Amino acid sequence: MDGMKQLFSPLTLQIPATVAPSSPQPEKLDFSSRLIMPPMCMYQAAPTGVDQGNPNDFHLAHYGARAQSVAAVIVEATGVVPEGRISNQCLSLGRDDQVPAFARLAHAIHAGGAKAGIQLNHSGRKGAGRPGAELVESARAWNPNYPQQVSEAELSWPLVAPSAVRFSEDYAVPQELTEAQIDEIVEAFGAAARRAADAGFDFVQVHGAHGYLLSSFLSPAANQRTDQYGGSLENRARFLLRVVERVGQYLPVAVRISAVDWQAEGQPGFNLADAQKVAVWLAEHGVFMVNVSTGGNLADAQIPAGPGYQVFAAAAVRQALQEAGFAGVPVSAVGIITSAAQAETVLVSGQADLVEVGRPLLVDPLLGARWRHELGAPPALPPSYVRARF
């Protein structure tokens, strides 16, 4: 079993120097293993009132428990402004008075033994823009504590996008962002990163995947602009790279990308060659880790979901980074990785440097400890749990 331990070997992630950082940056982050928890929306934040967008007791219990068996926890998609939330039950970090609530969450993750990351996002054309009654019905299915009285304005908001192209018939037609509005959102990402730093988070993951705002700019399926943010891949990536630079002034930056849109033949979309180029540009702009997903820009995409179905994309991005001289920028794989042996194989075969496991952690907060046992790796249980048996 000695060869079956790479998943639980430590990894030091080097933090590139940023241009004119606004706060001191660490030179490295030490991960205790290669197993990390990816962001997963929980839809449990208050949709209204003074606690709108804040993490609460649910989030403390949820993330604190899972921090005990992984190297890093990345908190779910957090809107950089309230209208950047995916739903009105999602987290947001658009106000300075929210820092104490997020500090409690970062502390809970650290107390569990993991590094604390937070995914900063703007939902773009995939935000809460559907009819109010439909939103309330969906919200109450997720959260039994959802308020009884919620105004239409608190339920949804105007959607924005690179172009006035809606995601699907279930969503409103978005407003095309002006260049001035793009500038404002770049600053909103920076301000949210500053708050995350003040709250004690170790790093930010910028959400450039799954068809949300930054991802939609990358894809010609959503981006039909003719200015400096549209047309060529370099132009379509400009918004994302500006956000990375701004966020990097406050915290180390990882980025999640969707490496392919899964578009049909002849249909416009973001492809693997595009993803490889963007990953190299991200590394050139100081990103310390690339997290590789797929899909999200096309509502009708035919995605061949199955065990490890996105690992090929991580492997391709990793190869591109190595060939460009960025072998020190690790790549994580995600997507229906459900066993210790499968996760270990992804690493041993050189397809990725880290593995993200989401849904299995939802049913087993100590999944990492179980997988250590299965692989014959040294146990690493919290002191109070050393009497546990598998």
Side-chain angles (χ1 to χ4, degrees), residues 20 35 37 62 65 80-82 87 130 153 167 170 173 191 195 255 260 266 273 275 301 306 322 348 351:
L35 181 64
M37 178 180 174
H62 170 66
V80 296
V81 288
S87 79
R130 289 167 287 176
F167 176 66
D170 292 331
V173 176
R195 297 179 189 111
V255 175
V260 294
Q322 291 181 333
V348 171
Q351 296 177 90

Side-chain angles (χ1 to χ4, degrees), residues 131-149:
E134 180 182 341
L135 280 172
V136 171
E137 181 180 353
S138 172
R140 290 192 176 134
W142 283 95
N143 184 357
N145 297 317
Y146 194 81
Q148 293 298 311
Q149 301 295 325

